[in-house]
Amino acid sequence: MTPAEIIGELFAGPGAREYLGEPVTIGTHMLQAGALAEAAGAEPPLAAAALLHDIGHLRGEADNRHGPAGARWLSRWFGEAVTEPVRLHVAAKRYLCAAEPGYFGLLSAESVRTLALQGGPMTPDEQAAFEALPYARDAVAVRRWDDAAKAPAVTPPGFAHFAPLLAVLVRT
Ligand code: FE
C-alpha cells in the first residue's frame, strides 16, 4: 500500500469515530482543516500538516501525546515541513492562550478541557522558546485551522481529494 492508502484507511476507519465532545467526526474535522488550509493558499506541506494534524488521534494516542506521536509516525514518509506543525499544534494552542488576548475565548469547551491535561497556557520562557522554533508560525497556522474545523454544517472534500497532495510530498 502507498502512504496515501495507509492514511486513507485511518480516515475511513478510526476517522469515522465521534470526536469526543466535538460536533463533527475526527476525520471530518481533519478534512475541514485541510480544506481551510487549501482555501487560504497554504503551501502543499502546510496544507498536508493541517489535514494530518490529528493523525495521532486516529492511531489511538491520548490528548497530551497525539502531536508528537503523530509527527513521529508521519516522519517515515514526510519531511519536517509536514511533521513539525503536526508535532507542535498542541504547543501552539498553549502558546496562543498565553500570547494572544482573546484566543482562549475562541476555544471549544473540549479544547479548554484538554488544555489543562496538555500543560495549560505557556509561561513567558516557554513562549520565547516556542517562537524560536523554525516551524512555530506554521504550527500556529495549523492551530487556527484546527480551531475553525469543527463546523457541523460544512461538508469538506473527501480524503481522495487530498491523496495526490500527499503522494507528491512523500520523500523518495
Ligand atoms: Fe484537531
Side-chain angles (χ1 to χ4, degrees), residues 19 26 29 53-54 57 66 89 143 146 150:
Y19 188 6
I26 181 86
H29 164 67
H53 74 277
D54 276 339
H57 275 322
H66 78 278
H89 82 277
R143 185 69 222 181
D146 180 2
K150 298 172 178 178

Side-chain angles (χ1 to χ4, degrees), residues 56-151:
H57 275 322
L58 298 190
R59 293 183 34 82
E61 299 288 350
D63 286 324
N64 59 338
R65 291 182 29 87
H66 78 278
R72 201 174 317 117
W73 187 72
L74 291 169
S75 69
R76 68 195 60 196
W77 300 307
F78 301 106
E80 289 190 343
V82 176
T83 62
E84 278 297 277
V86 172
R87 182 174 76 84
L88 294 170
H89 82 277
V90 173
K93 176 170 87 169
R94 297 183 56 229
Y95 170 75
L96 285 167
C97 282
E100 199 173 280
Y103 175 78
F104 180 84
L106 301 174
L107 292 176
S108 69
E110 179 61 11
S111 223
V112 170
R113 190 188 70 79
T114 54
L115 175 66
L117 304 171
Q118 292 157 345
M122 284 186 171
T123 65
D125 282 354
E126 287 175 326
Q127 277 184 64
F130 179 84
E131 283 169 357
L133 296 172
Y135 289 95
R137 292 173 70 94
D138 284 353
V140 166
V142 166
R143 185 69 222 181
R144 295 191 196 280
W145 294 317
D146 180 2
D147 293 326
K150 298 172 178 178

